[in-house]
């Protein structure tokens, strides 16, 4: 699984900053951090894991706006020289994560890696592929397990695809 992949390539660090991308990444991030902490303890690795949060917004209904809105970034100068793992729900075109990486690099972290629950198989991709991927998914609008459609369905315990009727009914 993704935890085993990440565990075998944990940076040689005493402190890891996990940067959870809200809102969609919260469920995956929570479970991943729990699994990472168990792995660190079982292997007797001396490393602390600190979780921080940012929000990136690039969708209106089912369409990417082409712009990335960063919400709650604040002062991240404390990330200078740190090892960072960004935890994301889905990499769609890759443009949102590319923008986030560009912003983070301005703070000169020691390393930055990304773990994404999903990687969408789409010809709209800019080519960005995260270091750690849970699953690939079809080029459909997926929701549940933290992923939403206009703030609906985020609480589903599974991942599904919204149909045309659902898109119309829950459009804003």
């Amino acid at each position: 699984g993704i935890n085993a992949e990440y565990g075998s390539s944990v940076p040689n660090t005493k402190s890891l900053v996990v940067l959870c991308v809200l809102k969609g990444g919260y469920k995956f991030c929570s479970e991943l951090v729990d699994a990472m902490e168990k792995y660190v303890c079982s292997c007797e690795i001396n490393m602390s894991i600190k979780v921080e949060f940012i929000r990136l917004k690039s969708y209106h209904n089912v369409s990417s706006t082409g712009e990335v809105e960063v919400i709650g970034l604040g002062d991240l100068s404390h990330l200078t020289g740190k090892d960072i793992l960004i935890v994301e729900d889905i990499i769609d075109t890759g443009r949102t994560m590319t923008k986030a990486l560009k912003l983070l690099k301005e703070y000169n972290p020691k390393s930055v890696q990304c773990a994404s629950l999903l990687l969408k198989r789409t010809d709209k991709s800019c080519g960005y592929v995260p270091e750690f991927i849970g699953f690939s998914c079809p080029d459909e609008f997926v929701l549940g397990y933290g992923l939403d459609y206009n703030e609906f369905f985020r609480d589903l315990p599974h991942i599904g695809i919204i149909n045309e009727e659902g898109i119309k009914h829950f459009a804003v």
Side-chain angles (χ1 to χ4, degrees), residues 51-172:
V51 181
E52 302 216 10
F53 304 90
I54 63 169
R55 283 186 62 197
L56 304 171
K57 187 172 181 181
S58 61
Y59 273 84
H60 179 75
N61 289 324
V62 295
S63 301
S64 176
T65 62
E67 297 293 318
V68 176
E69 183 182 357
V70 179
I71 303 166
L73 191 57
D75 179 24
L76 294 180
S77 61
H78 65 282
L79 296 177
T80 300
K82 304 284 185 183
D83 291 300
I84 301 169
L85 176 66
I86 302 171
V87 179
E88 175 70 289
D89 55 356
I90 187 168
I91 302 294
D92 191 335
T93 64
R95 289 184 186 92
T96 301
M97 186 52 62
T98 301
K99 171 80 171 182
L101 290 168
K102 183 179 177 188
L103 288 169
L104 284 174
K105 287 182 180 174
E106 292 176 12
Y107 295 97
N108 298 312
K110 181 178 175 185
S111 70
V112 181
Q113 294 180 308
C114 179
S116 181
L117 176 62
L118 300 171
L119 175 64
K120 190 175 281 191
R121 297 185 302 269
T122 176
D123 58 2
K124 299 176 207 119
S125 172
C126 72
Y128 174 77
V129 177
E131 288 80 2
F132 308 100
I133 303 164
F135 305 94
S136 68
C137 68
D139 191 6
E140 302 281 347
F141 199 93
V142 293
L143 43 73
Y145 194 72
L147 296 114
D148 73 295
Y149 175 65
N150 292 330
E151 299 299 325
F152 292 97
F153 307 109
R154 191 181 304 282
D155 59 329
L156 291 176
H158 59 272
I159 296 172
I161 297 171
I162 192 167
N163 63 23
E164 289 299 320
E165 186 178 322
I167 289 171
K168 289 176 188 168
H169 182 78
F170 293 99
V172 291

